[in-house]
Coordinates of all heavy atoms in Angstrom, one line a residue:
N11 N 10.4 -18.7 -10.1 CA 9.5 -17.6 -10.4 C 8.4 -17.5 -9.4 O 8.0 -16.4 -9.0 CB 9.0 -17.7 -11.8 CG 10.1 -17.5 -12.8 OD1 11.0 -16.8 -12.6 ND2 9.9 -18.1 -14.0
M12 N 7.8 -18.6 -9.0 CA 6.7 -18.6 -8.1 C 7.2 -18.1 -6.7 O 6.5 -17.4 -6.0 CB 6.1 -20.0 -7.9 CG 4.8 -20.0 -7.0 SD 4.1 -21.7 -6.9 CE 3.6 -21.9 -8.6
R13 N 8.4 -18.6 -6.3 CA 8.9 -18.2 -5.0 C 9.1 -16.6 -5.0 O 8.8 -16.0 -4.0 CB 10.3 -18.8 -4.8 CG 10.2 -20.3 -4.6 CD 11.6 -20.9 -4.2 NE 11.5 -22.3 -4.2 CZ 12.5 -23.1 -3.7 NH1 13.6 -22.5 -3.2 NH2 12.4 -24.4 -3.7
H14 N 9.6 -16.1 -6.1 CA 9.8 -14.6 -6.1 C 8.5 -13.9 -6.0 O 8.3 -12.9 -5.3 CB 10.5 -14.2 -7.4 CG 10.7 -12.8 -7.6 ND1 11.4 -12.0 -6.7 CD2 10.1 -11.9 -8.5 CE1 11.4 -10.7 -7.1 NE2 10.6 -10.7 -8.2
A15 N 7.5 -14.4 -6.8 CA 6.2 -13.7 -6.8 C 5.5 -13.8 -5.4 O 4.9 -12.8 -4.9 CB 5.3 -14.4 -7.8
L16 N 5.7 -15.0 -4.8 CA 5.1 -15.1 -3.4 C 5.8 -14.2 -2.4 O 5.2 -13.6 -1.6 CB 5.2 -16.6 -3.0 CG 4.2 -17.5 -3.7 CD1 4.6 -19.0 -3.3 CD2 2.8 -17.2 -3.2
G17 N 7.1 -14.1 -2.6 CA 7.9 -13.2 -1.7 C 7.4 -11.8 -1.8 O 7.2 -11.1 -0.8
L18 N 7.1 -11.3 -3.0 CA 6.6 -9.9 -3.2 C 5.3 -9.7 -2.6 O 4.9 -8.6 -2.2 CB 6.6 -9.5 -4.7 CG 8.0 -9.5 -5.4 CD1 7.8 -9.2 -6.9 CD2 8.8 -8.4 -4.7
A19 N 4.5 -10.8 -2.5 CA 3.1 -10.7 -2.1 C 2.9 -10.9 -0.6 O 1.9 -10.6 0.0 CB 2.3 -11.8 -2.7
V20 N 4.0 -11.3 0.1 CA 3.9 -11.6 1.6 C 3.4 -10.4 2.4 O 2.6 -10.5 3.2 CB 5.2 -12.2 2.1 CG1 5.4 -11.9 3.6 CG2 5.2 -13.7 1.9
V21 N 4.0 -9.2 2.1 CA 3.6 -8.1 2.9 C 2.2 -7.7 2.7 O 1.4 -7.3 3.6 CB 4.5 -6.9 2.6 CG1 4.1 -5.6 3.4 CG2 6.0 -7.2 3.0
A22 N 1.7 -7.8 1.4 CA 0.3 -7.6 1.1 C -0.6 -8.5 1.8 O -1.7 -8.2 2.3 CB 0.1 -7.7 -0.4
M23 N -0.1 -9.8 2.0 CA -0.9 -10.8 2.8 C -1.1 -10.3 4.2 O -2.2 -10.7 4.8 CB -0.2 -12.1 2.7 CG -0.2 -12.8 1.4 SD 1.0 -14.2 1.3 CE 0.4 -15.2 2.7
T24 N -0.2 -9.6 4.7 CA -0.3 -9.1 6.1 C -1.6 -8.3 6.3 O -2.3 -8.3 7.3 CB 0.9 -8.3 6.5 OG1 2.1 -9.1 6.4 CG2 0.8 -7.9 8.0
F25 N -1.8 -7.4 5.3 CA -3.0 -6.5 5.3 C -4.3 -7.3 5.2 O -5.3 -7.0 5.7 CB -2.9 -5.5 4.3 CG -1.8 -4.4 4.6 CD1 -0.5 -4.6 4.2 CD2 -2.1 -3.3 5.3 CE1 0.5 -3.7 4.5 CE2 -1.1 -2.4 5.6 CZ 0.2 -2.6 5.2
V26 N -4.2 -8.4 4.5 CA -5.4 -9.3 4.4 C -5.7 -10.0 5.7 O -6.8 -10.1 6.2 CB -5.2 -10.4 3.3 CG1 -6.3 -11.4 3.3 CG2 -5.0 -9.7 1.9
C27 N -4.6 -10.4 6.4 CA -4.8 -11.0 7.7 C -5.2 -10.0 8.8 O -5.9 -10.3 9.8 CB -3.4 -11.6 8.2 SG -2.9 -12.9 7.2
W28 N -4.9 -8.7 8.6 CA -5.3 -7.7 9.6 C -6.2 -6.6 9.0 O -5.8 -5.4 8.9 CB -4.0 -7.0 10.1 CG -3.1 -7.8 10.8 CD1 -3.2 -9.2 11.0 CD2 -1.8 -7.4 11.4 NE1 -2.1 -9.6 11.7 CE2 -1.2 -8.6 12.0 CE3 -1.1 -6.2 11.5 CZ2 0.0 -8.6 12.6 CZ3 0.1 -6.2 12.1 CH2 0.6 -7.4 12.7
P29 N -7.3 -6.9 8.4 CA -8.2 -6.0 7.7 C -8.7 -4.9 8.6 O -9.0 -3.8 8.0 CB -9.3 -6.9 7.2 CG -9.4 -8.0 8.1 CD -8.0 -8.3 8.5
H30 N -8.9 -5.1 9.9 CA -9.5 -4.1 10.7 C -8.5 -3.1 11.3 O -8.9 -2.1 12.0 CB -10.3 -4.7 11.8 CG -9.5 -5.6 12.7 ND1 -9.0 -6.8 12.4 CD2 -9.0 -5.3 14.0 CE1 -8.3 -7.3 13.4 NE2 -8.2 -6.4 14.4
L31 N -7.2 -3.3 11.1 CA -6.2 -2.4 11.8 C -6.3 -1.0 11.3 O -5.9 -0.1 12.0 CB -4.8 -3.0 11.7 CG -4.5 -4.1 12.6 CD1 -3.0 -4.5 12.5 CD2 -4.8 -3.8 14.1
S32 N -6.7 -0.8 10.0 CA -6.7 0.5 9.4 C -7.7 1.4 10.1 O -7.6 2.6 10.1 CB -7.0 0.5 7.9 OG -8.3 -0.1 7.7
K33 N -8.7 0.8 10.8 CA -9.7 1.6 11.5 C -9.6 1.4 13.0 O -10.4 1.9 13.8 CB -11.1 1.1 11.1 CG -11.3 1.4 9.6 CD -12.7 0.9 9.2 CE -13.0 1.1 7.7 NZ -14.3 0.7 7.3
A34 N -8.5 0.7 13.5 CA -8.4 0.5 14.9 C -8.0 1.7 15.7 O -7.3 2.6 15.2 CB -7.4 -0.6 15.1
T35 N -8.4 1.8 16.9 CA -8.0 2.9 17.8 C -6.6 2.7 18.4 O -6.0 3.6 18.8 CB -9.0 3.1 18.9 OG1 -9.2 1.9 19.7 CG2 -10.4 3.5 18.4
D36 N -6.2 1.4 18.4 CA -4.9 1.0 18.8 C -4.3 0.1 17.8 O -4.9 -0.9 17.5 CB -4.9 0.4 20.2 CG -5.4 1.3 21.3 OD1 -4.7 2.3 21.5 OD2 -6.5 1.0 21.9
A37 N -3.1 0.3 17.4 CA -2.4 -0.5 16.4 C -0.9 -0.3 16.4 O -0.5 0.8 16.7 CB -3.0 -0.3 15.0
P38 N -0.2 -1.3 16.0 CA 1.3 -1.1 16.0 C 1.7 -0.4 14.7 O 0.9 -0.3 13.7 CB 1.8 -2.6 16.0 CG 0.7 -3.3 15.2 CD -0.6 -2.7 15.7
A39 N 2.9 0.1 14.7 CA 3.5 0.6 13.4 C 3.6 -0.6 12.4 O 3.9 -1.7 12.8 CB 4.9 1.2 13.7
R40 N 3.4 -0.3 11.2 CA 3.4 -1.3 10.2 C 4.2 -1.0 8.9 O 4.4 0.2 8.6 CB 1.9 -1.6 9.7 CG 1.1 -2.3 10.8 CD -0.4 -2.3 10.4 NE -1.0 -1.0 10.7 CZ -2.0 -0.6 10.0 NH1 -2.5 -1.2 9.0 NH2 -2.5 0.6 10.3
L41 N 4.6 -2.0 8.2 CA 5.3 -1.8 7.0 C 4.3 -1.5 5.9 O 3.2 -1.8 6.0 CB 6.1 -3.1 6.6 CG 7.1 -3.6 7.6 CD1 7.6 -5.0 7.3 CD2 8.3 -2.6 7.7
V42 N 4.8 -0.8 4.8 CA 3.9 -0.4 3.7 C 4.3 -1.3 2.5 O 5.3 -2.0 2.5 CB 4.1 1.1 3.3 CG1 3.7 2.0 4.5 CG2 5.5 1.4 2.8
V43 N 3.4 -1.3 1.6 CA 3.6 -2.0 0.3 C 3.8 -1.0 -0.8 O 3.2 0.1 -0.8 CB 2.4 -2.9 0.0 CG1 2.5 -3.6 -1.3 CG2 2.1 -3.9 1.1
G44 N 4.6 -1.3 -1.8 CA 4.8 -0.5 -2.9 C 6.1 0.3 -3.0 O 7.1 -0.1 -2.4
E45 N 6.1 1.4 -3.7 CA 7.3 2.1 -4.0 C 8.0 2.7 -2.8 O 9.2 3.0 -2.8 CB 7.0 3.3 -5.0 CG 6.1 4.3 -4.4 CD 5.8 5.4 -5.4 OE1 6.2 5.3 -6.6 OE2 5.2 6.4 -5.1
N46 N 7.3 2.9 -1.6 CA 7.9 3.4 -0.4 C 8.3 2.3 0.6 O 8.6 2.6 1.7 CB 7.0 4.4 0.2 CG 6.9 5.7 -0.6 OD1 7.9 6.2 -1.1 ND2 5.7 6.2 -0.6
S47 N 8.3 1.0 0.1 CA 8.6 -0.1 1.0 C 10.1 -0.4 1.0 O 10.8 0.0 0.1 CB 7.8 -1.3 0.5 OG 8.4 -1.8 -0.7
I48 N 10.5 -1.0 2.1 CA 11.9 -1.4 2.1 C 12.3 -2.3 0.9 O 13.4 -2.2 0.3 CB 12.2 -2.2 3.5 CG1 12.1 -1.2 4.6 CG2 13.6 -2.8 3.4 CD1 12.2 -1.9 6.0
E49 N 11.4 -3.2 0.6 CA 11.7 -4.1 -0.5 C 12.0 -3.4 -1.8 O 12.9 -3.8 -2.6 CB 10.5 -5.1 -0.7 CG 10.3 -6.2 0.3 CD 9.4 -5.7 1.5 OE1 9.2 -4.5 1.6 OE2 9.0 -6.5 2.2
E50 N 11.2 -2.4 -2.1 CA 11.4 -1.6 -3.4 C 12.6 -0.7 -3.3 O 13.2 -0.4 -4.3 CB 10.1 -0.8 -3.7 CG 8.9 -1.7 -4.1 CD 9.1 -2.4 -5.4 OE1 9.8 -1.9 -6.3 OE2 8.7 -3.6 -5.5
L51 N 12.9 -0.2 -2.1 CA 14.0 0.8 -2.0 C 15.4 0.2 -1.8 O 16.4 0.9 -2.0 CB 13.7 1.7 -0.8 CG 12.4 2.6 -1.0 CD1 12.1 3.3 0.3 CD2 12.7 3.6 -2.1
L52 N 15.4 -1.1 -1.4 CA 16.7 -1.7 -1.2 C 17.4 -2.0 -2.5 O 16.9 -2.6 -3.4 CB 16.5 -3.0 -0.4 CG 17.8 -3.9 -0.1 CD1 18.8 -3.0 0.6 CD2 17.4 -5.1 0.6
R53 N 18.6 -1.5 -2.6 CA 19.5 -1.7 -3.8 C 20.6 -2.6 -3.3 O 21.5 -2.2 -2.6 CB 20.0 -0.3 -4.3 CG 19.0 0.6 -4.7 CD 18.2 0.1 -5.9 NE 17.2 1.0 -6.4 CZ 15.9 0.9 -6.1 NH1 15.5 -0.2 -5.3 NH2 15.0 1.7 -6.5
L54 N 20.6 -3.8 -3.8 CA 21.6 -4.8 -3.4 C 23.0 -4.4 -4.1 O 23.0 -4.0 -5.2 CB 21.2 -6.2 -3.9 CG 19.9 -6.7 -3.3 CD1 19.6 -8.1 -3.8 CD2 19.9 -6.7 -1.8
P55 N 24.0 -4.6 -3.3 CA 25.4 -4.3 -3.9 C 25.7 -5.2 -5.1 O 25.3 -6.3 -5.1 CB 26.3 -4.6 -2.7 CG 25.5 -4.5 -1.5 CD 24.1 -5.0 -1.9
E56 N 26.3 -4.6 -6.1 CA 26.6 -5.4 -7.3 C 27.5 -6.5 -7.0 O 27.5 -7.5 -7.7 CB 27.1 -4.4 -8.4 CG 26.2 -3.4 -8.9 CD 26.8 -2.6 -10.0 OE1 27.9 -2.8 -10.4 OE2 26.0 -1.7 -10.5
S57 N 28.4 -6.3 -6.0 CA 29.4 -7.3 -5.7 C 28.8 -8.4 -4.7 O 29.6 -9.3 -4.3 CB 30.6 -6.7 -5.0 OG 30.2 -6.0 -3.8
L58 N 27.5 -8.4 -4.4 CA 27.0 -9.3 -3.4 C 27.0 -10.7 -4.0 O 26.5 -11.0 -5.1 CB 25.5 -8.9 -3.1 CG 24.8 -9.8 -2.0 CD1 25.5 -9.6 -0.7 CD2 23.3 -9.5 -2.0

């Protein structure tokens, strides 16, 4: 359970590590957290 919870939190940790990128004049493309993220939108095959 802890591993799963930590896995969900990793992307959010990225924003903690990079707090100033939201105001930067130069920054890379970044992943988002929440309902529009790859993690939330990925539907694993039932036969996996």
Side-chain angles (χ1 to χ4, degrees):
N11 291 331
M12 184 180 295
R13 293 184 188 191
H14 176 65
L16 286 169
L18 295 176
V20 150
V21 177
M23 289 166 57
T24 303
F25 289 87
V26 174
C27 295
W28 296 2
H30 62 282
L31 281 187
S32 60
K33 298 180 180 179
T35 57
D36 295 298
R40 288 168 284 152
L41 301 168
V42 302
V43 178
E45 62 182 8
N46 291 318
S47 67
I48 292 175
E49 289 90 343
E50 291 295 327
L51 294 171
L52 179 56
R53 299 292 179 264
L54 300 181
E56 293 184 1
S57 60
L58 184 66

